[in-house]
Amino acid sequence: MSPLPSRVRAILADSRIELPPAAQDDLRNGRIHDSVLTAMRQLAGTYRMYVGVVRSGHPLDVFGTSRPSDHPRGRAFDVWQIDGHAVVEPATPRSLIERFMRDAAAAGSYHVGGPVHL
């Protein structure tokens, strides 16, 4: 087995990025696009985030549509909690969600979805 790239090792070791086991395996197996790795690292510089899914376990299509999802291609990740606040919880400050979404776009994410429209 070849050694993990340094950017993957950095994400797996970063206490500000919580990944479920399937997402950790996705990273270890090299199935994640560099743009996702870059965005995760940049966002972790400002936020503590809990990732729900990267590639494995996500449907082929965007939920509720017939549009192909970027997840199965390793080009997306879903965050369910930011700085201890659940993304879909009504009590989570909208300003936190909007700032995170804008920062994700600035980090190179070309499609940023969330509970609010920017």
Side-chain angles (χ1 to χ4, degrees):
M1 180 184 238
S2 61
L4 293 175
S6 61
R7 60 186 0 190
V8 170
R9 285 194 318 270
I11 289 170
L12 293 172
D14 194 327
S15 65
R16 297 181 59 81
I17 304 171
E18 294 286 335
L19 297 163
Q24 293 175 27
D25 288 343
D26 288 339
L27 270 70
R28 284 188 188 103
N29 291 324
R31 299 184 299 194
I32 306 304
H33 195 268
D34 283 346
S35 63
V36 168
L37 302 175
T38 298
M40 281 185 181
R41 287 290 291 152
Q42 286 184 352
L43 289 165
T46 304
Y47 307 94
R48 179 175 181 84
M49 60 186 168
Y50 292 78
V51 174
V53 66
V54 180
R55 181 180 174 150
S56 297
H58 196 281
L60 295 177
D61 293 331
V62 174
F63 289 110
T65 75
S66 59
R67 285 189 341 259
S69 171
D70 284 327
H71 288 272
R73 297 183 314 178
R75 292 181 170 271
F77 65 102
D78 289 345
V79 174
W80 73 271
Q81 191 179 80
I82 305 163
D83 291 342
H85 299 278
V87 171
V88 297
E89 176 63 42
T92 297
R94 182 181 173 111
S95 60
L96 173 65
I97 301 299
E98 290 176 353
R99 188 169 14 100
F100 184 87
M101 291 172 69
R102 283 189 179 92
D103 288 348
S109 298
Y110 62 88
H111 176 81
V112 178
V116 298
H117 292 286
L118 297 179

